[in-house]
Structures are given as structure tokens and as C-alpha cells.
Amino acid sequence: MLTVAGLEVGYGGPPVLAGVDLEVADGQVVALLGPRGSGKTTLARALTGVVRPRAGTITFDGRRLDRLSPRAIVKAGVVGVPQGRRIFPGLTVLDNLRVGALPRGRQGASGVDWALGLFPGLRTQAYRPAGALPVGEQQVLALARALVSRPKLLVVDELSAGVSPALAVQLFDVLRGLSLAGVSMLVIDQFVNLANGVADLAIVVENSRVCVCSAPARLGLADVSWQSTHPGGGDPASRSKGAPQ
């Protein structure tokens, strides 16, 4: 389904990613792990068209994505849930969802209804400005907005960031349900147990390159020593500095 070959991405200086190769098969969930600054978010931005690669190719269902606009990439079936939510704070919750549905044209309305059914808390606040929502509910809205376009591949970047441990677990339960429904995903998260809990394959990026590709259960401690194992798992004493309380 998704094939990344020889990808190099940067922002004007030395490359953030160089020679990256990876694949996400149809219906597969891949956890993308790595320390801060390793290029995980840069890869997510390249896949969704926010940044243009310097070299290499991104192919999805036989079509080159690295030459397309972000809107065209969404139409092709690849949708991102960006780090930092990136909602439209001045629009209502409902209008944020409608924006996410635009690539589907007339079929978008059914996606909005489906997302509101999936997240009933959003339905009760449909006409509230999105910027007035608590941070956790803004994250729910960001996920719902991505889902209204009914993606074939969902690129999820730090879904647990800024939300309570309980909500983070609930959001990953939604991802697990999407996986069971056959949606392919590339999942980036600071909490290794959450990402690996939904993943079929784990990829570790470090020093600008893929350095480990393994079944999640076979990852060694040395492979993920920089990761937190909260919320929802691990020893509380090992919680990293950046983990939510």
C-alpha cells in the first residue's frame, strides 16, 4: 500500500531524514518510534505533503505522493492527525469536521455524522468554537476531523500529547477499532506501550535513518530506552520527564 524508498527530507540545512525505506501494507499498523528530534514528525509531514522531500519516493497504491499537494494526498486516501492538533479554533466543532469532509464532496456529510456518532461528546458541543474546547477534547476533534474523510491510511503524530492518561488510552482504543476495521496506520507516539499495543510492526528511527524494524514484542529495552511506558502500562517510577501526570 505505502512504500517509502530512499527518502531524504530537510529544512534547508543538513537532512533530518536520509535514505529512509519503509512500507505499510494494506490493513497493517506500523509504530514509528524514536527519540526526540529523530525525524518522526518530519516523516509524517512528508507523507502528508506538508514538506517536499529532497530525494526518494513516496508511493501509495501505485501512485507517487511526493509530487502531490496535501489536498490531493487526502483525496488519494492518506490523512494525517498532526502533532499539536492544528484545528481551526475560530470555527465551530461541526465546521471543523466539515472542513475535513471537503475532499469527499457530497459524500462528506455521512462521514461527519459517522464521526459524531463515534465521539458523542463532540456532538453535544457541535456549535461551540473549537478553540474553547479543553485541550483533550481538541485532540479528539483532530482525530475525528481526520476520520471524516474515511482514510485508507491514517498518519497519527503524538495523539497522546497534552491529554490525560485515561483519554490517551481511550483514543488508542479508537485506533485499535480502526485497525480491526482494516484501516492502515502509521502511529507516532511518545508512549511505546500505546503505540506498540496497536501495531503489527515497530520501526525505530535514529540518527536520520531506520535502525530497527521488528515485531513490537521483540523490541529490546536498548531499542526504546528513550521512550516512556505511560499511560496505561509500565512501572510508574520509570515515567519520563515529559509524560503527562
Side-chain angles (χ1 to χ4, degrees), residues 6 49 52 57 102 131 150 154:
R52 187 65 61 88
T57 60
L102 287 175
R150 299 297 181 97
L154 193 63

Side-chain angles (χ1 to χ4, degrees), residues 58-73:
I58 303 170
T59 307
F60 181 73
D61 276 354
R63 185 181 183 188
R64 287 279 296 271
L65 296 187
D66 49 280
R67 300 172 177 174
L68 300 181
S69 67
R71 182 180 177 85
I73 290 173

Side-chain angles (χ1 to χ4, degrees), residues 192-237:
V192 64
N193 60 300
L194 287 181
N196 281 347
V198 299
D200 305 299
L201 181 71
I203 292 176
V204 178
V205 177
E206 201 163 1
N207 298 321
S208 303
R209 299 178 182 273
V210 173
C211 60
V212 177
C213 183
S214 167
R218 294 183 179 178
L219 283 178
L221 181 60
D223 296 325
V224 293
S225 59
W226 27 260
Q227 290 278 339
S228 172
T229 56
H230 278 263
D235 177 7

Side-chain angles (χ1 to χ4, degrees), residues 118 170-183 185 198:
L118 192 62
Q170 291 172 17
L171 291 173
F172 270 80
D173 283 342
V174 173
L175 296 188
R176 189 172 291 105
L178 294 171
S179 173
L180 293 173
V183 178
M185 286 181 275
V198 299

Side-chain angles (χ1 to χ4, degrees), residues 27 29 81 97 111 114-122 136-137 139-148 150-151 154 156 159-160 163 165-185 187 194-195 197-199:
V29 180
V81 182
L97 296 179
W114 174 72
L116 289 173
L118 192 62
F119 302 105
L122 294 180
E137 292 181 15
Q139 191 69 293
V140 173
L141 176 59
L143 176 58
R145 185 183 62 190
L147 293 179
V148 295
R150 299 297 181 97
L154 193 63
V156 186
L159 188 62
S160 71
V163 306
L167 180 55
V169 171
Q170 291 172 17
L171 291 173
F172 270 80
D173 283 342
V174 173
L175 296 188
R176 189 172 291 105
L178 294 171
S179 173
L180 293 173
V183 178
S184 300
M185 286 181 275
V187 179
L194 287 181
V198 299

Side-chain angles (χ1 to χ4, degrees), residues 38-49:
S38 61
K40 304 184 300 297
T41 291
T42 295
L43 178 58
R45 289 173 176 169
L47 294 178
T48 53

